[in-house]
Amino acid sequence: MSYVKGLKCRECKREYPKEALFVCDYCFGSLEVTYDYEKIKKHLTKEVIESRDKNMWRYRELLPIEGEPTDGLNSGYTPLIKANNLAKKLGVKELYIKDDSVCHPTLSFKDRVVSVALSRAKEFGYKTMACASTGNLANSVASHAAKAGLKAYIFIPADLELGKVIGTLIYHPNLISVEGNYDEVNRLCSEVAAKYKWAFVNINIRPYYAEGSKTYGYEIAEQLGWRAPDHIVVPCAGGSLITKIWKSFKEFHKLGLISKPITKMYAAQATGCAPIVNMIKDKSEIMMPVKPKTIAKSLAIGNPADGYYAKGVVEESGGEAESVTDEEIVEGIKLLAATEGIFTETAGGVTVAVTKKLIEQGIIPKDELIVISITGNGLKTQEAVQSHIGKPIKIKPTLKSFEEEVKL
Ligand SMILES: *Cc1c(COP(=O)(O)O)cnc(C)c1O
Ligand SMILES: [Zn+2]
């Protein structure tokens, strides 16, 4: 049973059938999935959602597959944590962490998009999965493809963190390390995708894949007791996640599940790769692609596919954009660990540090409900913090040595 109507060009609004299409033949705009909301409204009530298993498919009617989900049956429904310690530190009243550093099975929000992409790709009859990745997507596609028994071809920039390389190779995909940055990897993949009949999750089945990110937003609204937050800080790489969180709140409102969202959306990037943030702060109509230079490799996309849409969401919602340096990213990672006991990766360091900055600047008010998006796990980016966290105290296995070295 499907509630998907079809695909629609985000620019000229031409409609297309729900096939493996991703770009408009007329204007080259990207395509987006459309749904029959009237029909969904009749089925999808709060009670129905709450009665379902605690995974991302509890919002199944709002996800673009035809039959039953076959992938990611344990993905999503990650904790929304009331971050009282961090709130106190930042001087704000009500702060939450949406913690996808523990998303099953590969510890980032990419398990959401890949779950939808694979379920849909199988319906299309694809036997081989592929992707261009900044790291977390590589882990997720490799893992899900292994579980589904599909072939995988995964393209990454050569300078990725060891944890992300090992966390991909362990599933034994074809891992191709490209001498170049993500934007060069992505361009190569577009050529490969045109030639080989593979499901490139973030290229030729991107409209379906991208919808998986909405579940991050649905969960936040449900976990807050059926309301959208006042403020949410979101990390941007390609710029898709921020647009899909916004879409998720709007859809929940359309279905009568929450009141009209007044959420202000904040785009967060690393200063060393901030094409979206720069465009928003400069009030420019044109995004200037950059050559990434940052420890936040998962966000290092110099020419983001959804950059203009991300800007649109930030402006429509009345939010803002901010970037932080590599030093601030490390401080952000350490701050979250010290206050909330959560070890996030560099992208989480970006959102924590950007949140702190926006609060200090008075842009995010101190007395309203704030959510920080934590989208990945710190064990994968250990290089980023290795030289900033001290060393263990070395002792001999004697009480004397313990008391001498550990100054009690
Ligand atoms: C991919 C990724 C993002 C950003 O996603 P986009 O939708 O491309 O903006 C954020 N955080 C982490 C950890 C990621 O891996
Ligand atoms: Zn078009």
Side-chain angles (χ1 to χ4, degrees):
M1 177 70 143
S2 176
Y3 299 84
V4 175
K5 281 206 294 200
L7 297 171
K8 193 177 188 176
C9 175
R10 284 154 110 190
E11 295 300 324
C12 74
K13 312 296 175 198
R14 270 196 177 77
E15 301 203 13
Y16 292 87
K18 43 188 175 182
E19 288 166 10
L21 304 168
F22 64 105
V23 62
C24 175
D25 292 338
Y26 293 86
C27 77
F28 300 109
S30 54
L31 305 182
E32 182 159 47
V33 179
T34 56
Y35 298 86
D36 185 343
Y37 292 110
E38 285 311 310
K39 201 163 121 197
I40 294 174
K41 200 170 178 175
K42 293 198 188 95
H43 291 264
L44 199 63
T45 61
K46 289 178 193 176
E47 293 69 31
V48 166
I49 293 171
E50 284 167 351
S51 73
R52 290 179 176 170
D53 291 346
K54 289 194 160 62
N55 65 55
M56 56 178 272
W57 294 105
R58 63 206 264 113
Y59 318 102
R60 193 235 157 290
E61 287 83 348
L62 292 159
L63 294 170
I65 61 169
E66 293 295 305
E68 287 303 303
T70 54
D71 202 81
L73 300 176
N74 295 292
S75 297
Y77 214 81
T78 55
L80 181 78
I81 293 156
K82 183 116 201 282
N84 289 337
N85 299 337
L86 183 58
K88 208 168 151 198
K89 197 93 188 168
L90 299 180
V92 297
K93 203 173 107 207
E94 216 181 350
L95 180 67
Y96 292 84
I97 301 293
K98 176 60 175 171
D99 189 10
D100 263 21
S101 76
V102 292
C103 197
H104 181 85
T106 65
L107 310 179
S108 89
F109 95 92
K110 291 297 199 298
D111 288 322
R112 301 172 183 277
V113 278
V114 171
S115 297
V116 174
L118 246 75
S119 289
R120 188 71 183 120
K122 280 187 263 179
E123 291 178 341
F124 283 134
Y126 284 105
K127 299 281 186 279
T128 302
M129 306 302 299
C131 69
S133 173
T134 57
N136 285 312
L137 187 60
N139 297 168
S140 190
V141 169
S143 161
H144 289 257
K147 168 95 171 145
L150 299 172
K151 277 211 191 80
Y153 285 85
I154 292 168
F155 298 76
I156 53 169
D159 71 342
L160 226 49
E161 299 95 339
L162 185 62
K164 286 185 179 161
V165 175
I166 294 175
T168 305
L169 282 176
I170 193 66
Y171 307 108
H172 208 67
N174 299 285
L175 180 62
I176 298 107
S177 174
V178 181
E179 284 174 29
N181 59 33
Y182 174 84
D183 300 281
E184 292 168 305
V185 174
N186 193 45
R187 203 187 49 224
L188 167 65
C189 285
S190 296
E191 286 180 50
V192 177
K195 185 154 178 195
Y196 297 88
K197 233 191 120 21
W198 299 344
F200 267 89
V201 298
N202 54 343
I203 300 177
N204 53 357
I205 53 169
R206 188 175 177 88
Y208 302 96
Y209 154 93
E211 289 284 289
S213 289
K214 294 190 305 186
T215 62
Y216 190 81
Y218 298 145
E219 288 173 18
I220 292 170
E222 183 185 350
Q223 289 167 318
L224 284 173
W226 301 104
R227 62 160 292 190
D230 298 324
H231 307 271
I232 181 166
V233 180
V234 185
C236 296
S240 177
L241 175 63
I242 192 168
T243 67
K244 295 297 176 174
I245 294 175
W246 182 235
K247 184 176 180 186
S248 77
F249 297 154
K250 285 187 153 183
E251 285 181 333
F252 261 19
H253 173 56
K254 204 178 295 186
L255 298 175
L257 298 171
I258 61 173
S259 54
K260 191 171 166 51
I262 49 158
T263 314
K264 292 189 165 65
M265 309 288 298
Y266 301 88
Q269 293 194 295
T271 307
C273 181
I276 296 173
V277 169
N278 293 342
M279 171 172 53
I280 295 169
K281 289 183 83 167
D282 296 346
K283 302 200 179 341
S284 167
E285 293 305 314
I286 293 166
M287 183 171 61
M288 297 297 287
V290 302
K291 264 210 157 34
K293 196 174 178 313
T294 169
I295 57 169
K297 294 178 198 257
S298 56
L299 304 182
I301 298 184
N303 190 11
D306 289 303
Y308 291 105
Y309 299 108
K311 174 178 186 266
V313 161
V314 167
E315 288 175 350
E316 184 190 338
S317 73
E320 256 299 343
E322 191 53 89
S323 70
V324 284
T325 64
D326 284 359
E327 293 73 38
E328 290 172 301
I329 294 169
V330 171
E331 286 311 309
I333 295 173
K334 288 170 70 175
L335 179 62
L336 185 65
T339 53
E340 297 300 328
I342 295 167
F343 185 14
T344 185
E345 70 147 81
T346 45
V350 168
T351 50
V352 171
V354 163
T355 305
K356 180 168 180 278
K357 206 162 165 179
L358 291 171
I359 291 167
E360 284 168 1
Q361 292 169 354
I363 292 171
I364 296 183
K366 298 190 165 175
D367 56 349
E368 296 180 3
L369 197 159
I370 308 162
V371 172
I372 304 180
S373 306
I374 295 298
T375 48
N377 192 296
L379 291 170
K380 296 192 198 180
T381 62
Q382 298 184 40
E383 296 91 333
V385 293
Q386 197 168 13
S387 58
H388 303 275
I389 48 178
K391 289 204 162 62
I393 305 166
K394 277 198 180 149
I395 65 167
K396 301 221 163 51
T398 63
L399 184 61
K400 183 166 169 285
S401 175
F402 169 66
E403 288 180 337
E404 271 172 18
E405 301 299 331
V406 184
K407 317 225 160 27
L408 297 166

